[in-house]
Amino acid sequence: MTLAPDASHPRDDLELPELPGRTLAEAELRDWVERLAARPELWRHHVAHDSARERAGGRHYVSLHRDEHVDVWLLCWDTVDDTGWHDHDTSAGAVVVTDGAVVERRPRLGGEAASRTVPAGRSFAFGPDHIHRMSGAVDGSVSIHAYSPPLWRMGQYAISDDGVMRRWSVSYADELRPVEDDGHALVSGP
Ligand SMILES: [Fe+2]
């Protein structure tokens, strides 16, 4: 089962770690998601990894919080899950991996993408200039992501076999997935 983001009903009942009430910088976001990850009673109940057969519809991800300065998501990953290339428009972001491991790749024009595996217990942050692609390194992985200012538009990219890159503007509420050069989704599923 996939839970669509529900920005109209943010989880204000959660007692999240304190936020400063303004846009957060990369280091602040990273520190904040690490503190949230250390309190699994706030998010563990949202974790779900459905079988491939059951979840042909896509990735499992849940909006944990959204306000005027930050939005926060919990994402569940299996090895079939892949965001495709994307950016976060004007938002900085931070990711903490709580279970398993995720792969982050960054495009390198004319060469192989830069790739790293981020295991449980590790985190990273990035600015609005960051273009990347994330996937599950092992089944059953979980990560928590925070963005500031909140995601609104995002860029989704296709890179053709001869290295030409194209960008489509998508809504933050759309599920990211790999796209073909004409903008059509290659696969359904996160
Ligand atoms: Fe991203």
Side-chain angles (χ1 to χ4, degrees):
M1 178 181 70
T2 293
L3 297 183
D6 187 354
S8 63
H9 297 91
R11 292 296 307 274
D12 288 335
D13 54 315
L14 293 178
E15 295 180 7
L16 297 170
E18 187 174 1
L19 287 160
R22 56 167 171 75
T23 299
L24 284 80
E26 293 175 41
E28 293 176 305
L29 277 174
R30 184 174 181 175
D31 176 70
W32 190 87
V33 292
E34 288 179 348
R35 283 188 280 136
L36 178 58
R39 297 179 57 193
E41 72 276 12
L42 296 179
W43 50 265
R44 177 62 69 183
H45 53 289
H46 290 298
V47 172
H49 290 90
D50 305 322
S51 75
R53 188 175 63 246
E54 291 172 329
R55 65 186 196 92
R59 266 184 302 166
H60 181 87
Y61 54 102
V62 178
S63 173
L64 297 177
H65 176 76
R66 184 177 176 91
D67 65 26
E68 62 187 308
H69 302 295
V70 64
D71 70 330
V72 187
W73 299 80
L74 179 139
L75 287 82
C76 300
W77 305 88
D78 292 327
T79 54
V80 297
D81 295 327
D82 183 354
T83 63
W85 303 111
H86 66 276
D87 67 39
H88 315 84
D89 201 20
T90 63
S91 299
V95 176
V96 59
V97 180
T98 65
D99 298 77
V102 300
V103 176
E104 186 199 32
R105 284 178 286 168
R106 300 172 65 188
R108 179 181 285 135
L109 297 182
E112 290 294 313
S115 177
R116 62 173 171 171
T117 300
V118 184
R122 301 296 295 271
S123 64
F124 60 95
F126 48 83
D129 58 329
H130 197 70
I131 301 171
H132 72 174
R133 174 178 200 157
M134 292 185 62
S135 56
V138 295
D139 289 341
S141 300
V142 179
S143 58
I144 301 174
H145 302 222
Y147 304 94
S148 186
L151 294 175
W152 186 246
R153 303 297 302 179
M154 303 176 73
Q156 180 94 63
Y157 297 83
I159 304 176
S160 67
D161 290 342
D162 59 357
V164 175
M165 177 181 280
R166 301 176 69 194
R167 180 186 192 271
W168 288 265
S169 179
V170 299
S171 165
Y172 79 95
D174 293 335
E175 182 178 331
L176 293 173
R177 62 188 67 190
V179 291
E180 296 176 346
D181 199 33
D182 63 359
H184 293 130
L186 271 177
V187 298
S188 63

